Amino acid sequence: MQFPESWLRAWANPEIDSQTLAHRLTMAGLEVEEAAPYAPPFAGVVVARIVSVADHPNADKLHVCQVDDGSGTPLQIVCGAPNAAAGLVVPLARIGAELPGGMKIGPVKMRGVESFGMLCSARELGLSQDHAGLLELSAQLVPGTDIRAALRLDDTIFTIKLTPNRADCLSIQGVAREVAALTGCVLQTPPVPEIDVTLQDRLPVNVQAPDLCGRFAGRIVRGVNARAQTPDWMKARLERAGQRSVSALVDISNYVMLELGRPTHVFDLQRIRGGLTVRWAREGEQLQLLNEQTVTLTPDVGVIGTGDTLESLAGIMGGLASAVTLDTTDVFLEAAFWWPEAIMGRPRRYKLTSEAGHRFERGVDFSTIPAHLDIMTRLILDICGGQAGPVDDQIIRLPTREPVRMRLSRCARVLGIQLSAGQVATVFGSLGFDFRQDGDDFWVTPPAARFDLGIEEDLIEEVARIYGFDQIPDLPPMAPARMRVQPEVLRGPHALRAGMAALDYQEVINFSFVEEAWEQNYCGNAQPIRLLNPIASQLAVMRSSLIGGLLANIAHNARHRQTRVRVFELGRVFARDASVADGALAVAGVAQPTHLAAAAWGPAVPEQWGEASRPVDFFDVKRDLQSLLGAQAAGLRCEVASHPALHPGRSARLLLDGRAIGWIGEVHPRWAQALDLPHAPVVFELDTAAIATQPFPQPVELSRQPVVIRDLAVWVDAALPWQAVLDTLEHQIAADEALAVVKDIKLFDIWRDSSSAEQRSLALRFWFQGQDATLDDRQIEYCMQRLIDALTRVHGARLRT
């Protein structure tokens, strides 16, 4: 909102300078973005009247003017302005004057004719960009008067940035109320004028939508002169507030809006057939607005019509059909209260910039409509003449103003300072609030102009604003410094993210709602949880797995020529579970566990000279998962199982200490083909609750004895998994104390004989180490024999010779 300081001080004139006033407003929540002088600095420019104009003897486009500058002796000025004429009152820069930009005026000779000064355009004085001709001044100004005083150029233009809740300050009156409350100066409210009603004409108005219009007032004025000139003082205020002058009737309407915050509309009465109807629009109706834009309406948009013809977009913009022109003689003045909910969003829907809509969607005072209509009528009668009829004021349904309670103790807790009941009462009184005090409780009835006062905190904010935020001590909060022990066994989401990032994965965040096809294809979920109001038709169900989002990320990167992608996501998934009760983080019947999923695609390592390129495989991702689990990896097992999204034979169910926690494997070829990927990504997904607690590190004594290594090759069934062999050996080691010296077992070779497809040879390597003494051959041979016996007994293994 932009306005001149002089207009504000006509309402409230505190004894402080412009910068202090801007600071006080800013600290009260009305942020002054800019306080700039209206006119740049210049000196030596006075009002002058052109006495005569003659053609220049040596130039076709120059004139020789005799100018009265109030000194008693006419000055000769050479001027090239096309509008220079005898009798015109214009600015004159005398000899010695200094104009904006540092230009100094001295006597010059132009084409052989002397010139003692310069007649100025608005651009040359820095008042506007208009340089088509001389700046024409009022004929009432006296020659010789300093132009800055004559035009009141020593003014400051304030630009205020208002928050959406402060619609009451979208006017000079509203800002002046704030200034009076902040500084204690007198609020100069002009009296409501008496209007001589000389006509009894009324225009019937039928309000059919009480949820659109709560109050409607209007009056007929006949015999107006629409060609009357807008007074200079009104033009000046409008221009300095960013409004251009259009015509007297339009200017008066804009002036009332800017000064009082009351948007109004002026109808050409001759263009209205019958009465007016206030209603909701019908589907498909069209209206041509004042800006000549034609809009197609829907039933949630309010209109003012006459018969089947629409005259105005209610609370937003008038229609072209009933707009006033310079030939208008009879008008109907309208002022109404439109419910904010009925206006919100409508101007933006039609890409309209509407000062009225900007105010009405935030809330406009509904109690002062007749008074503001009288003020507007008086301006029209004084400027344009005419005869006024009575005000027809219909009250349909107005907002209720319920008292709001504010506790003094609550105010002290929120603000951090102790204010007395008298100080709070002074604040409420300065704001013009109607309140009563009950002990330390205040019951405030919000004024009709304040739609932002509804709860206790709103009143506390008012106290803080007027008391002064800068008077509230800037004290840091005091709290005991307690050293909290870092939980070493807990692995939270931040630790998981850091671990995945250290493994060269990048985090992604996908929508929790996904395509229904993903749930069916990747999860085998035929009945996913559906959204009642999806943001897009394809994102209609809640995800039960993170894999679909990661595959979409990889496909997107592949289409953009990325050859290596490693991504992970930590987020919630959603599944039906009748055992889940309603809670803070759950909905009844819906489980919402947090999962961690990762996907790798492309080369196993970035392109380099030291290692040949190969696609990432199952074991690369399994190694990453083991690195993430750390000590927990000892209890991790991969069990053969089938998953809808994964390749059979190249995927497994993840078990941790015997409990199923997720899946790992290569994506099924048909899904890789559907995503147009040349080779399949490898993914894993697990429940983070299963790995949230990790074993506490336990110190052990390191052996100083040498390590003994033995190799063993055995024949086993070709279908026997290596995990089963390893389980048998570990079970035997745990059951026999003598085998405690076995420290590690690795499978380092698998060999098949072409003549025997039913069996395969497994080559194992064992590491032995004693704790207190060096192991001898007898002990090693005993341990090896015990391990061979276990394999023979359980799996029918036989030594390979």
Side-chain angles (χ1 to χ4, degrees):
M1 178 182 172
Q2 173 183 317
F3 58 87
E5 181 185 5
S6 59
W7 196 356
L8 175 63
R9 287 187 180 271
W11 281 77
N13 190 15
E15 295 181 357
I16 55 178
D17 60 24
S18 301
Q19 293 302 319
T20 304
L21 177 59
H23 175 74
R24 295 291 295 273
L25 288 172
T26 299
M27 293 305 298
L30 279 66
E31 180 184 356
V32 179
E33 287 189 306
E34 186 179 12
Y38 171 66
F42 60 82
V45 182
V46 298
V47 176
R49 178 179 284 105
I50 300 176
V51 178
S52 65
V53 178
D55 292 336
H56 194 288
N58 301 319
D60 294 336
K61 295 184 178 181
L62 296 180
H63 309 284
V64 179
C65 303
Q66 300 299 319
V67 177
D68 176 13
D69 68 341
S71 62
T73 303
L75 296 178
Q76 179 172 283
I77 308 291
V78 177
C79 174
N83 64 333
L88 191 66
V89 178
V90 295
L92 167 65
R94 287 172 167 168
I95 301 297
E98 185 172 350
L99 298 183
M103 177 188 293
K104 293 185 177 181
I105 304 300
V108 296
K109 184 176 288 187
M110 301 179 69
R111 295 288 185 94
V113 178
E114 292 185 324
S115 179
F116 301 95
M118 185 176 78
L119 302 180
C120 302
S121 67
R123 183 177 181 179
E124 288 163 339
L125 296 179
L127 302 182
S128 74
Q129 295 300 314
D130 182 13
H131 62 288
L134 301 176
L135 175 61
E136 299 183 16
L137 305 177
S138 172
Q140 306 300 322
L141 296 179
V142 178
T145 306
D146 186 275
I147 196 71
R148 301 192 72 91
L151 300 182
R152 298 182 180 180
L153 299 182
D154 294 323
D155 202 354
T156 302
I157 305 300
F158 283 173
T159 302
I160 291 184
K161 181 180 179 180
L162 292 172
T163 52
N165 63 321
R166 293 308 306 272
D168 61 298
C169 290
L170 286 169
S171 65
I172 298 296
Q173 183 184 36
V175 178
R177 270 196 304 260
E178 292 289 305
V179 172
L182 291 168
T183 64
C185 69
V186 178
L187 181 64
Q188 302 289 345
T189 304
V192 178
E194 293 286 341
I195 303 298
D196 295 330
V197 177
T198 57
L199 300 175
Q200 296 305 316
D201 297 355
R202 296 175 183 267
L203 182 69
V205 178
N206 180 18
V207 179
Q208 298 179 354
D211 54 343
L212 167 64
C213 179
R215 186 173 188 176
F216 193 100
R219 144 181 285 154
I220 291 175
V221 180
R222 294 187 183 275
V224 299
N225 177 18
R227 297 179 181 274
Q229 292 297 314
T230 303
D232 291 338
W233 61 268
M234 183 179 288
K235 274 186 180 180
R237 286 183 171 180
L238 289 175
E239 288 172 358
R240 297 181 191 189
Q243 295 277 347
R244 66 181 182 88
S245 177
V246 179
S247 67
L249 291 174
V250 176
D251 291 349
I252 291 170
S253 178
N254 289 335
Y255 183 84
V256 170
M257 178 184 66
L258 293 175
E259 183 168 64
L260 304 177
R262 171 68 56 199
T264 59
H265 188 63
V266 182
F267 293 89
D268 188 332
L269 190 62
Q270 300 297 330
R271 300 188 180 190
I272 299 176
R273 299 291 180 263
L276 295 178
T277 302
V278 179
R279 58 176 174 85
W280 294 106
R282 303 184 184 97
E283 186 68 43
E285 284 188 304
Q286 292 189 329
L287 171 63
Q288 188 175 18
L289 301 173
L290 286 172
N291 62 0
E292 299 185 356
Q293 174 184 347
T294 300
V295 295
T296 302
L297 307 178
T298 55
D300 62 341
V301 177
V303 295
I304 302 175
T306 174
D308 293 331
T309 304
L310 299 185
E311 304 291 349
S312 175
L313 200 58
I316 300 174
M317 187 176 291
L320 192 62
S322 58
V324 294
T325 67
L326 295 180
D327 297 324
T328 298
T329 57
D330 301 333
V331 296
F332 178 72
L333 313 181
E334 169 261 311
F337 169 72
W338 307 100
W339 286 93
E341 296 81 3
I343 308 299
M344 288 178 183
R346 276 66 167 187
R348 290 179 291 279
R349 179 188 304 176
Y350 297 109
K351 297 180 175 59
L352 297 175
T353 301
S354 167
E355 291 280 357
H358 182 73
R359 287 163 172 77
F360 279 125
E361 67 181 354
R362 288 160 172 77
V364 176
D365 190 344
F366 51 83
S367 65
T368 55
I369 291 177
H372 290 175
L373 203 56
D374 283 344
I375 294 174
M376 182 178 179
T377 303
R378 173 49 59 197
L379 289 172
I380 290 176
L381 295 178
D382 290 346
I383 297 171
C384 302
Q387 294 180 305
V391 173
D392 186 7
D393 184 18
Q394 298 184 51
I395 298 178
I396 301 94
R397 182 171 68 90
L398 297 179
T400 57
R401 314 304 281 170
E402 298 294 337
V404 180
R405 177 193 181 196
M406 193 202 78
R407 296 162 291 172
L408 199 60
S409 57
R410 173 65 177 167
C411 180
R413 285 199 304 273
V414 172
L415 300 183
I417 56 174
Q418 292 290 337
L419 295 178
S420 66
Q423 289 175 300
V424 173
T426 301
V427 169
F428 290 158
S430 66
L431 289 169
F433 291 173
D434 181 15
F435 69 94
R436 63 180 176 87
Q437 187 174 350
D438 184 8
D440 285 342
D441 292 352
F442 288 84
W443 293 87
V444 178
T445 301
R450 296 296 298 271
F451 286 78
D452 60 318
L453 303 179
I455 59 176
E456 186 175 23
E457 282 70 18
D458 295 334
L459 297 178
I460 295 175
E461 180 187 0
E462 294 301 296
V463 173
R465 288 192 318 104
I466 304 304
Y467 177 76
F469 288 113
D470 49 354
Q471 295 191 54
I472 299 177
D474 184 11
L475 300 176
M478 302 296 293
R482 296 179 181 176
M483 301 298 293
R484 297 187 179 274
V485 179
Q486 184 72 19
E488 296 185 46
V489 298
L490 298 181
R491 183 189 286 115
H494 296 299
L496 291 175
R497 290 188 176 99
M500 291 301 298
L503 292 169
D504 195 25
Y505 288 82
Q506 291 183 313
E507 185 178 11
V508 296
I509 301 175
N510 294 312
F511 282 126
S512 296
F513 17 90
V514 298
E515 299 182 27
E516 187 171 355
W518 292 5
E519 286 295 299
Q520 295 176 354
N521 297 339
Y522 303 146
C523 308
N525 186 5
Q527 293 184 338
I529 301 172
R530 299 185 180 278
L531 295 170
L532 295 179
N533 186 23
I535 63 171
S537 59
Q538 71 273 20
L539 305 178
V541 300
M542 302 300 292
R543 65 186 180 187
S544 61
S545 170
L546 303 178
I547 293 177
L550 297 182
L551 294 181
N553 298 143
I554 291 176
H556 175 81
N557 280 273
R559 288 193 298 270
H560 289 77
R561 299 188 178 183
Q562 296 297 314
T563 58
R564 185 173 186 269
V565 183
R566 297 166 70 87
V567 291
F568 79 93
E569 182 172 11
L570 182 68
R572 292 190 179 276
V573 297
F574 305 84
R576 301 184 189 278
D577 188 346
S579 64
V580 177
D582 194 5
L585 292 177
V587 179
V590 177
Q592 303 181 41
T594 300
H595 281 197
L596 171 67
W601 177 78
V605 295
E607 185 176 359
Q608 57 173 290
W609 61 269
E611 186 172 344
S613 178
R614 63 174 181 83
V616 67
D617 60 20
F618 175 94
F619 299 102
D620 293 318
V621 176
K622 180 183 177 183
R623 180 188 58 204
D624 291 338
L625 177 58
Q626 290 173 329
S627 299
L628 177 69
L629 294 182
Q632 282 184 297
L636 182 68
R637 292 187 58 181
C638 294
E639 181 182 80
V640 176
S642 177
H643 188 281
L646 304 179
H647 191 308
R650 299 186 184 180
S651 60
R653 186 194 304 273
L654 293 173
L655 303 177
L656 185 63
D657 299 327
R659 173 188 171 191
I661 64 168
W663 294 86
I664 185 173
E666 186 178 298
V667 173
H668 199 287
R670 67 170 174 267
W671 306 135
Q673 184 177 7
L675 294 170
D676 199 20
L677 297 176
H679 53 269
V682 182
V683 301
F684 75 77
E685 182 173 11
L686 51 83
D687 188 349
T688 58
I691 61 173
T693 303
Q694 57 187 344
F696 189 83
Q698 297 292 336
V700 295
E701 184 179 354
L702 296 177
S703 174
R704 297 176 178 270
Q705 306 305 319
V707 175
V708 179
I709 300 176
R710 288 288 187 272
D711 292 345
L712 174 66
V714 294
W715 289 100
V716 295
D717 289 340
L720 180 66
W722 157 245
Q723 185 66 52
V725 174
L726 184 60
D727 290 344
T728 299
L729 294 174
E730 290 179 344
H731 179 73
Q732 183 64 30
I733 292 170
D736 191 341
E737 292 184 2
L739 298 179
V741 295
V742 181
K743 300 303 181 182
D744 199 5
I745 305 172
K746 297 293 183 183
L747 172 68
F748 68 90
D749 186 41
I750 299 177
W751 182 76
R752 295 178 184 271
D753 189 349
S754 58
S755 62
S756 177
E758 290 80 11
Q759 288 194 325
R760 63 177 178 172
S761 171
L762 302 181
L764 313 179
R765 181 163 292 166
F766 298 88
W767 282 262
F768 300 89
Q769 186 180 32
Q771 187 66 31
D772 300 321
T774 302
L775 298 177
D776 55 28
D777 290 343
R778 182 181 57 83
Q779 290 175 293
I780 299 298
E781 291 301 328
Y782 173 79
C783 293
M784 290 295 295
Q785 189 60 47
R786 295 290 293 169
L787 294 173
I788 294 171
D789 292 344
L791 294 176
T792 302
R793 181 177 65 256
V794 177
H795 302 297
R798 59 186 177 86
L799 289 176
R800 174 184 168 190
T801 58

